[in-house]
Amino acid sequence: MAELVIEQLTKSFDGIEVLKELSLHIQEDEFVAVLGPSGSGKSTLFHLIGGLYEPDEGTIALGGDKINGQKGSVSYMPQSPSLLPWRSILDNVLLGAELAGRKDKEAALEMMDKAGLSGYERAYPHQLSGGMKQRTAFIRSLLSPQPLILLDEPFSALDEFTRSEMQKWLLDIWQSNKRSILFVTHNIEEALFLADRILVLSEKPAQVVAEFQVEFTRPRAEDITLTEEFLQYKKDIYKVLKKGTGV
């Protein structure tokens, strides 16, 4: 079970409330995107789910089990690929599974082939492009045994073309290897193209102020971004974000 349930989560630092009574849920194999103003507490939310921080109040449950302050329950992919420079690409891909004692070299090689990384098994991170490094990091997340993957703006450092290609690649790989995903982004179009649902956070102390169910069928076609329905979603979400920041 990979259902994530967060109830009444509150967290402060030095007397400043970052999250206040925040509640959300992610169903098994659901792809949920989180949008919010800069500094609204999205990274704090991820650190709480990952067990790096403990909440002041509230509960975080994964598959029915409380995981407050518990490390290792989720797979986390930050903005930078965070590949180990002294390990080959294959060894980087296998790292999460290796730490969990579930190393599967054949599965790793098969997924690398699908990701266009065949032939780079013995290469090192400095020999890869930005997009290839991100693919490596995502495959590492998929091969880790945790049922929930946290993606923290993984494509923000990429150029527009590479970012678009990575979005399509991510959806293709996820369709074949379903996992629950919580995806943080500042990009409304990216959230709409990727997610089943979009949660919008307020400025801090952050709460979920709006939720959008994205009705586009899967697999997603690239030209949905040009449809009236897509543009209307984008306008509606923008209005909520603008209202939340007081702009």
Side-chain angles (χ1 to χ4, degrees):
M1 278 288 292
E3 183 180 17
L4 176 73
V5 178
I6 293 176
E7 295 181 336
Q8 302 293 301
L9 206 62
T10 296
K11 182 65 179 178
S12 299
F13 296 98
D14 299 324
I16 299 173
E17 215 166 30
V18 179
L19 305 178
K20 182 177 182 179
E21 298 178 355
L22 183 146
S23 298
L24 63 84
H25 75 279
I26 300 173
Q27 298 172 7
E28 188 166 10
D29 298 339
E30 187 180 24
F31 197 129
V32 176
V34 177
L35 288 166
S38 295
S40 62
K42 298 184 294 295
S43 293
T44 298
L45 174 62
F46 269 23
H47 291 153
L48 285 163
I49 297 170
L52 299 178
Y53 302 151
E54 286 205 41
D56 300 332
E57 296 177 26
T59 59
I60 307 165
L62 185 62
D65 297 323
K66 186 177 177 180
I67 60 168
N68 287 31
Q70 185 175 309
K71 299 182 182 71
S73 299
V74 302
S75 179
Y76 175 61
M77 181 177 163
Q79 294 179 26
S80 62
S82 300
L83 304 178
L84 300 179
W86 60 87
R87 289 179 71 112
S88 70
I89 299 308
L90 177 59
D91 286 341
N92 265 288
V93 161
L94 287 167
L95 181 60
E98 184 180 313
L99 292 172
R102 301 183 188 182
K103 191 173 175 179
D104 188 338
K105 186 176 179 180
E106 286 187 15
L109 290 171
E110 182 180 346
M111 204 169 287
M112 286 181 70
D113 183 51
K114 289 180 180 177
L117 292 170
S118 183
Y120 288 90
E121 297 85 357
R122 297 176 183 271
Y124 288 87
H126 73 274
Q127 297 173 286
L128 270 59
S129 68
M132 294 169 79
K133 289 176 183 177
Q134 292 298 77
R135 293 182 195 184
T136 301
F138 185 65
I139 293 170
R140 179 180 60 194
S141 297
L142 280 174
L143 289 172
S144 297
Q146 295 90 345
L148 173 67
I149 300 175
L150 307 180
L151 302 180
D152 189 358
E153 296 192 76
F155 308 143
S156 59
L158 303 177
D159 63 79
E160 196 64 30
F161 177 77
T162 305
R163 183 173 188 150
S164 177
E165 291 300 305
M166 284 299 300
Q167 290 167 4
K168 289 182 282 185
W169 175 83
L170 170 59
L171 281 187
D172 184 53
I173 293 292
W174 176 72
Q175 285 287 145
S176 303
N177 303 269
K178 282 289 185 75
R179 303 281 283 281
S180 300
I181 290 181
L182 187 59
F183 185 100
V184 161
T185 178
H186 281 95
N187 189 304
I188 298 174
E189 287 194 4
E190 182 169 72
L192 282 169
F193 184 67
L194 294 173
D196 297 311
R197 275 190 302 129
I198 296 172
L199 305 177
V200 181
L201 300 186
S202 65
E203 288 190 311
K204 64 184 179 187
Q207 294 178 311
V208 176
V209 292
E211 178 178 321
F212 295 85
Q213 189 76 39
V214 183
E215 302 293 348
F216 301 122
T217 57
R218 296 190 184 277
R220 299 267 164 91
E222 190 176 6
D223 60 6
I224 65 168
T225 60
L226 304 175
T227 63
E228 285 296 327
E229 188 179 4
F230 190 95
L231 294 173
Q232 189 59 55
Y233 269 125
K234 187 176 177 180
K235 289 176 184 176
D236 293 342
I237 294 169
Y238 178 75
K239 285 178 184 176
V240 173
L241 284 170
K242 188 176 180 180
K243 183 178 179 181
T245 57
V247 175

